[in-house]
Amino acid sequence: MEILSEHREDAALFTTRFALMGGGASVQFVDDRGQDHAKRLARAVEREARRIELKFSRYRESSVVSEINRQAGRTPVAVDDETEFLVGAALDLARLTGGCFDPTVGVLRRAWNFSGGHVPSPEEIEAVLPLVDAGAVSLRDGTVFLRHARMEIDLGGVGKEYAADRAAELLRADGVRAAVVSFAGDVRTIGFRGDGRPWKIGVLDPRDRQRCRFAVRAPGDVGVATSGNYERGFWNDGVHYHHILDARTGWPSLGLASATVVAPTAFRAGQLSTASFLLGPEAGLALLEQTPGVEGALITEDGAVLATEGMRFLSDLPGGVWASWH
Amino acid sequence: MAATESLVPVSGPDRRRTRPALREFPWVVAGLGALASRDALGQSSVDTKFLFYKESDGRTQVVNPMVLLHQDLGDQWGNIDLLLAYDAISGASPSGAYPTADATTSASGKAGTSGNIPQTTYKDTRKSIGLSYGKKFGAHLPSIEVSYAKENDYTARSVGISDAWTMAGGRGTLHFGASLARDFVDPVTNNLHFNKNTNGFSLGWTWILGERDLVDVSGSLMNQSGYLDDPYKIVPIGPIGTTITTPDHRPDTRSRWALVTKYAHYFPWDGAIKASYRYYRDDWSVQAHTLDVTYDQKLDSDWIISPRVRLYTQTAASFYGQLFSSPEMYMSADYRLSALSSILGGLGFTKKIDEQLAVNFAATYQSQTGRDRVTPIASTPAARGAGTVSAADMTIYTVTVGFTWKY
């Protein structure tokens, strides 16, 4: 773990970085209680993030998600409130997207191989698709049960945003009034920077990942999350196959390269970025416009930016009120 | 031929200006027809050029291969010119670019920590085709030309007609032309579609003064209407510190006049000087002067060396400002509409391989300086923290290689 500090009057900006959930994590917070306190706090944040990763990762044999999947078609698994909340939220997202998103979509990995560049045949997709069924996930009386054998649930779609929120809550509970938490590309902010300005969140350009396409100014305590097709996928015969699959068809969703959402929490932002990505440019933008308290910007596959009306107050997109700030 | 000229910005870096001159300047639209008249010597040729254009500070960069086919079909059928060009354009917009971000949001976080430099960047490609047909009728060489070009956010279509009328026993040529362009603008920042129309007219006179001197005087008028804003530019309004921004907004018409005088003199020692002066003005209050001098010297029977100097200066548009105290009808903070000057130096070589084939190489260096000195420093990557500098300040390099094959 690395802690850097940057003095800003009587307080300092502390930064800690670590690997998390297959990506990078960084936590920056402003604090005036000295290095030792900041180090303890940074370790506590990292521990909380790792706890969530271990508990909900499908890659960990000991995780609750792995246990639920092992018992698919056999018996309900007793879960705690936190797991119940995350499973319930995933099912809510499935309903919100009309089935485009489905927490059981992971079984399609049996047909798709994104690292190997294999394009499955329609028959291969059809063979797996019956196991993609959020309606077969039973959540009741403190248990989770996958009704069909060989079904799988994956909370990866909501886990890292939840972890970012939990880290922010931990910081706030300790008295931190200015922080930005970035977990594997999803961001949660607390308050404003030490200099009084909003935290500035760059939105990665899907076409050139060394740069940001635009930046968002976080209005206080918010989450900023992005779903995109550019991290995992392959090209075959001029077609880009990416890993965000429409659960209704088993094929990658079309139209968008990325979807970025600003919402009251990273968890909510992550849900809506996934939902709007899967719904595509028109329906995705309509969803964001209709959802109170959230704003977003969608970058289409051909590079156009479609933004909600309110993004002009949060971004430096042309016409945005932050366009001339630096 | 025209590609190098058209790619050197006259009034600053404008990627629209990276189009071949076919559409931008009607006298050149007519000029491709005039090219037919110049080359109407009963010989066909293929010209290829590969141009690399780069602005300082990571701004616009263009890679532009092009091919011009001139096919002579004989006296009975006239001649055809076909121009094919491709531009790969990339760079960072100097408007609204942030030097740093506190964090970055991305799809799965491989670059998810802080430290990336957010910039408003763009990449685009432009494919263009131009076709010209001319045929001699007595003293007249009329021609017609059509062109089409497509970018991600811009579609350009144009048609032009021209005539070169030789008189005074072959010592003088009256050349005139007209063109229409109907473009579509589809900014990537919204779902709106706009039209941009251009009507151009040109009239000129070429006079052979003797064995060694040639003069050409021409004037042109270009009327533009429709969407003339730059959808990627913003305008700051209000006092510094509480500035708000609004999109760039310009008048929806623009009349552009230009008067060009060219003079060429051939020296007895196998040298030639070509000089041109161009005066430009428009009803946006921009006035510009360009002086361009090239000297060609044959070194032996196969080599030609061509040094070149160009001086340029322009005034600002009436609605240009670096910061507006209150909203106005028309506002632009685009430094390309500010007062600026530039000096360009270049050197070219042509090597004749045999009677049919020649290769050429040219490079230019241009230094551009803004004269207002108050353009917002945020607009220019090089200017961050440097105080009162202009966003128009930059240097531009071009390298061109090509060959001409006559058959």
Side-chain angles (χ1 to χ4, degrees), chain A residues 8 15 17-18 21-26 28 160 180-187 193 198-205 207-215 217 224-232 243 260 285 302-307 312 315-326, chain B residues 57-59 91-125 152 186-191 230-237 239-248 323 376-379 384-385:
Chain A
R8 296 193 175 182
T15 302
R17 296 186 175 91
F18 50 91
M21 299 180 186
S26 77
Q28 301 171 70
K160 58 181 177 168
V180 57
V181 177
S182 174
F183 283 179
D186 293 323
V187 176
R193 296 196 316 194
W199 295 104
K200 184 170 59 189
I201 315 300
V203 177
L204 211 65
D205 188 343
R207 293 183 172 190
D208 181 358
R209 282 177 279 161
Q210 300 304 311
R211 295 178 182 278
C212 292
R213 179 66 187 268
F214 60 92
R217 293 286 182 154
V224 186
T226 295
S227 293
N229 66 6
Y230 46 84
E231 290 287 6
R232 283 173 57 204
H243 72 292
T260 298
L285 191 63
D302 56 6
V305 178
L306 310 172
R312 66 187 294 264
S315 75
D316 60 353
L317 286 164
V321 298
W322 294 100
S324 67
W325 290 71
H326 62 100
Chain B
D57 299 327
R59 294 190 190 183
S93 166
S95 173
Y98 283 85
T100 59
D102 297 309
T104 305
T105 178
S106 64
S108 68
K110 289 192 173 60
T113 54
S114 60
N116 286 293
I117 299 173
Q119 292 185 51
T120 304
T121 64
Y122 57 84
K123 277 187 178 177
D124 207 347
T125 57
N152 181 37
D186 303 284
V188 299
T189 49
N190 57 42
N191 278 328
D230 187 326
Y232 307 110
K233 298 292 181 192
I234 50 93
V235 178
I237 304 173
I240 293 172
T242 57
T243 308
I244 61 166
T245 61
T246 183
D248 170 293
L323 183 66
I377 59 172
S379 299
R384 277 195 298 274

Side-chain angles (χ1 to χ4, degrees), chain B residues 309-347:
Chain B
V309 174
R310 192 187 71 191
L311 306 174
Y312 176 79
T313 183
Q314 75 172 42
T315 60
S318 57
F319 51 89
Y320 167 80
Q322 51 95 15
L323 183 66
F324 291 81
S325 56
S326 60
E328 295 175 14
M329 175 70 84
Y330 302 117
M331 294 182 291
S332 178
D334 183 352
Y335 59 83
R336 292 169 296 188
L337 293 175
S338 71
L340 57 86
S341 303
S342 71
I343 179 167
L344 176 146
L347 191 61

Side-chain angles (χ1 to χ4, degrees), chain A residues 134-201:
Chain A
V137 179
S138 169
L139 176 64
R140 64 173 63 174
D141 302 330
T143 64
V144 177
F145 179 46
L146 308 182
R147 293 201 189 98
H148 308 309
R150 301 181 69 231
M151 276 184 76
E152 288 181 9
I153 193 169
D154 184 359
L155 299 178
V158 291
K160 58 181 177 168
E161 295 92 346
Y162 173 71
D165 285 334
R166 285 290 303 141
E169 287 165 19
L170 200 152
L171 288 165
R172 188 174 266 298
D174 190 72
V176 170
R177 294 290 173 264
V180 57
V181 177
S182 174
F183 283 179
D186 293 323
V187 176
R188 170 68 191 266
T189 61
I190 298 174
F192 294 87
R193 296 196 316 194
D195 61 3
R197 285 189 172 193
W199 295 104
K200 184 170 59 189
I201 315 300

Side-chain angles (χ1 to χ4, degrees), chain A residues 74-298:
Chain A
R74 296 179 185 172
T75 182
V77 175
V79 296
D80 61 8
D81 290 348
E82 189 176 47
T83 307
E84 198 172 343
F85 167 73
L86 288 179
V87 173
L91 296 177
D92 287 345
L93 185 56
R95 281 188 285 275
L96 182 69
T97 60
C100 295
F101 171 82
D102 193 307
T104 65
V105 77
V107 292
L108 283 164
R109 282 191 305 276
R110 296 169 192 165
W112 287 95
N113 178 356
F114 290 101
S115 54
H118 169 64
V119 180
S121 66
E123 292 74 24
E124 287 177 279
I125 298 284
E126 289 299 325
V128 184
L129 214 47
L131 296 174
V132 180
D133 184 5
V137 179
S138 169
L139 176 64
R140 64 173 63 174
D141 302 330
T143 64
V144 177
F145 179 46
L146 308 182
R147 293 201 189 98
H148 308 309
R150 301 181 69 231
M151 276 184 76
E152 288 181 9
I153 193 169
D154 184 359
L155 299 178
V158 291
K160 58 181 177 168
E161 295 92 346
Y162 173 71
D165 285 334
R166 285 290 303 141
E169 287 165 19
L170 200 152
L171 288 165
R172 188 174 266 298
D174 190 72
V176 170
R177 294 290 173 264
V180 57
V181 177
S182 174
F183 283 179
D186 293 323
V187 176
R188 170 68 191 266
T189 61
I190 298 174
F192 294 87
R193 296 196 316 194
D195 61 3
R197 285 189 172 193
W199 295 104
K200 184 170 59 189
I201 315 300
V203 177
L204 211 65
D205 188 343
R207 293 183 172 190
D208 181 358
R209 282 177 279 161
Q210 300 304 311
R211 295 178 182 278
C212 292
R213 179 66 187 268
F214 60 92
V216 171
R217 293 286 182 154
D221 291 18
V222 295
V224 186
T226 295
S227 293
N229 66 6
Y230 46 84
E231 290 287 6
R232 283 173 57 204
F234 61 89
W235 287 87
N236 187 298
D237 275 345
V239 179
H240 183 227
Y241 296 94
H242 62 81
H243 72 292
I244 304 182
L245 302 174
D246 186 329
R248 298 170 305 182
T249 64
W251 293 89
S253 64
L254 298 173
L256 290 176
S258 77
T260 298
V261 172
V262 184
T265 64
F267 186 75
R268 187 70 174 145
Q271 278 192 310
L272 289 167
S273 67
T274 304
S276 54
F277 185 95
L278 285 163
L279 289 170
E282 290 181 11
L285 191 63
L287 170 69
L288 298 179
E289 289 283 17
Q290 291 160 10
T291 307
V294 308
E295 301 296 341
L298 312 177

